[in-house]
Structure formats: C-alpha cells, structure tokens
C-alpha cells in the first residue's frame, strides 16, 4: 500500500498530540507532509510550540511544522485552557522544542503543496478550528478540486455541543471558516462528538499506554490523566475522549467507523446556536449531501490500534 499523503492542521491540545503521534507511528499508511498550526485550544505561539514538542517526543524532529492564522476569520479567538491547561499540553513534563518552526506561513504551505502535488494526491486532516483551511480555499480556489479529501474532527448532532449547548469547540471558534469548508465541494469526512465521545480513555486503556514503558507511552498516559479531569467533572464519563486521533485512525482503519453521507450546514448567525453543525441525519431536507458524517466507532478496535502504534515510537 502506498502511504497516503496528508497534512495535519492542528491546535495541540493533548488529543491533537496523540493524533500526531499516531500519524508519525504509521509510516506504512501515512506520509505526513507537514503540520500546519492554527490558534484554537491555546493561542498560535503555543500550538506551534506544542506541535514541535510532540514531533520531538516521537523522535521525528525533521517533521516540517508551520504557523498559520492567529485568529478566526470574523470574531475574536475563544480558547480552551479550561480543558487543556495553560500551555495546551499540560500533564507530562516535556522539554521545550529545539527543532525549527518553518519560515513559510501555513496557508502558503497548504496552497503551494496542493498546487505542486499531483491532483487528488493530498488529504487534509484538520483537528482544530478551520481558519487555515478556509483561508487557503478563499485565497486559492483552484486548490479545492486538487484536494483528495478533508477528514476533520468537528461538530456534533446527537451530542449537540461541548463549548455551548449547541456547538462543538472547533466549529464554534470559527464558524465562518467552517462554512467555507463545508460549502467548498471538497469530499468531507467528519468525526463529530457523536463518535469521539465514545472513544473514551478508561482506566485500563490508560494503563495500557503507561505499560508500554516508553517515554511516549508515559507521556500519553500523563496527558490523558490531565485532560480527563474536565470530562469526568462535566459528563461523569469513564475517561477523556480522544477526539482528534479518530481522524488519523480513520485513515488507517476506516472499517472502525460508520456514518451517513448527508447534508451538513454551519450556523453562523444566531447568537444562540452559532457554530452548530445542522446535520440532516434523518434526511428530512432535499439539501444535497456534502459530508460523510460519522456516527459510531468500534472503540476497542480503535484503542487496540492506537496502543499497538504508540508502541512503535
Ligand atoms: C475538539 O476541541 C479541542 O478542544 C480538541 O482538541 C478537539 O479538537 C473537541 O471538541
Ligand atoms: Ca484539536
């Protein structure tokens, strides 16, 4: 199998970090062309720092990391230190990165890569607000038909919202950007909270990470220890949801996920429901499907895959 060329667009975040580790641990399936950082869970300077910390943790300091947009298209930035801690990567003690941040802006890297790679050969994997991707699509509309697929974490239908009663964090932070992406005509696969709230790091699953006995295994277990306190308090759930790794797991093992090809629109206007993904799950409108909206995950298979891959780092 030829590895799939991807760009991870991200705002690390402990769960983003695990997604990056999963990608770097899977070179047979994934060729990571670069990591583009965006403001989201924490401001841009920290997401660009955290992405590099994670690459170094994986032993891959040659990975190209780019800084992108430092604020959403139309509104001020909303961050999530209440979930991820002050640095965005609270939990393990990890050294400051020494690998360089690339000089090029993330949006220029996205545009250049998509224009020079053969058409349909690059998949985008957004794990944060969609500001970088929307900016690239707006500035260079010719790249849209060149993107193989966008596989993203964001939105919710049955789970509704986690940052407001109606909206999931990534979409809520930049709904205008999300609207551009969902209307771009690019094939979309969406991992909403409906899936990721089933990818829970229970005690035994976290012990399996720790039992790897490696730096990576311990760091992931400590990230999860930190990250889970929020969900335990809020939802009383069994552990932290590993939202973003679902995107990468889908590329490696799509059979672990199931969903529906439906229409999804983004609410940008209403003060009450801004950032809502209005998903026509029951197909009650005649709006054309624009997204493969996932609804379920084989959680044990997902954690087996993740643990087995992390053991390779
Ligand atoms: C999403 O928001 C962030 O806090 C996580 O990293 C994930 O991408 C979940 O709503
Ligand atoms: Ca994220």
């Amino acid at each position: 199998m030829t590895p799939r060329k991807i760009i991870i667009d991200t705002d690390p975040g402990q769960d983003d970090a695990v997604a990056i580790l999963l990608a770097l641990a899977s070179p047979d399936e994934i060729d990571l062309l670069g990591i583009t950082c965006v403001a989201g869970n924490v401001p841009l300077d920290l997401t660009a720092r955290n992405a590099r910390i994670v690459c170094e943790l994986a032993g891959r300091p040659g990975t190209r990391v780019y800084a992108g947009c430092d604020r959403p298209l139309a509104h001020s930035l909303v961050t999530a230190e209440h979930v991820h801690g002050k640095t965005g990567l609270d939990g393990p003690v990890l050294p400051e990165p020494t690998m360089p941040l690339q000089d090029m802006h993330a949006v220029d890297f996205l545009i250049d890569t998509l224009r020079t790679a053969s058409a349909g050969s690059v998949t985008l994997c957004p794990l944060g607000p969609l500001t970088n991707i929307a900016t690239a699509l707006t500035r260079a509309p010719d790249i849209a038909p060149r993107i193989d697929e966008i596989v993203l974490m964001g939105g919710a239908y049955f789970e509704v919202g986690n940052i407001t009663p109606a909206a999931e964090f990534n979409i809520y932070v930049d709904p205008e950007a999300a609207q551009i992406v969902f209307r771009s005509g690019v094939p979309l696969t969406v991992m909403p909270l409906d899936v990721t709230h089933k990818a829970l790091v229970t005690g035994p699953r976290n012990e399996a990470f720790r039992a790897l006995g490696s730096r990576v295994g311990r760091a992931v277990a400590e990230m999860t220890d930190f990250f889970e306190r929020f969900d335990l308090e809020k939802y009383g759930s069994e552990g932290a949801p590993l939202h973003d790794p679902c995107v990468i797991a889908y590329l490696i093992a799509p059979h672990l996920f199931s969903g529906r090809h439906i229409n999804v629109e983004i609410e940008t206007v209403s003060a009450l429901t801004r950032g809502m993904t209005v998903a026509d799950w029951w197909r009650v409108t005649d709006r054309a499907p624009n997204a493969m909206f996932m609804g379920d995950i084989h959680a044990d298979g997902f954690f087996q895959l993740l643990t087995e891959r992390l053991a390779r780092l």
Side-chain angles (χ1 to χ4, degrees), residues 133-274:
I133 310 295
T135 305
L137 285 167
T138 306
R139 204 180 288 167
D142 57 290
I143 63 174
R146 303 184 67 83
I147 302 170
D148 178 32
E149 185 182 2
I150 296 177
V151 185
L152 68 91
M153 191 281 138
Y157 179 66
F158 293 98
E159 289 286 299
V160 198
N162 59 356
I163 186 77
T164 75
E168 180 279 330
F169 179 78
N170 289 343
I171 306 295
Y172 177 76
V173 172
D174 200 342
E176 286 75 16
Q179 187 175 64
I180 290 169
V181 171
F182 277 75
R183 291 185 175 173
S184 66
V186 177
L188 299 180
T189 296
V190 179
M191 292 292 165
L193 295 179
D194 309 322
V195 169
T196 68
H197 278 175
K198 293 173 189 150
L200 298 178
V201 189
T202 58
R205 287 170 178 164
N206 212 28
E207 283 321 305
F209 295 146
R210 215 184 302 275
L212 293 175
S214 60
R215 264 186 88 215
V216 168
R218 276 192 301 276
V220 168
E222 286 167 14
M223 282 182 210
T224 308
D225 285 340
F226 180 87
F227 181 43
E228 75 171 4
R229 88 213 180 291
F230 173 78
D231 287 84
L232 293 183
E233 281 164 26
K234 182 171 172 188
Y235 299 107
S237 57
E238 286 176 276
L242 280 186
H243 305 283
D244 296 336
C246 291
V247 166
I248 307 300
Y250 172 76
L251 301 180
I252 302 169
H255 60 273
L256 294 175
F257 300 87
S258 58
R260 295 186 182 184
H261 192 231
I262 56 169
N263 178 271
V264 181
E265 301 290 335
I266 309 296
E267 174 60 56
T268 58
V269 179
S270 154
L272 266 181
T273 58
R274 214 176 117 70

Side-chain angles (χ1 to χ4, degrees), residues 43-62:
L44 182 67
D45 56 336
L46 285 172
T47 63
R49 162 193 180 263
N50 295 346
R52 288 177 291 144
I53 289 179
V54 176
C55 292
E56 290 186 358
L57 173 65
R60 295 285 295 280

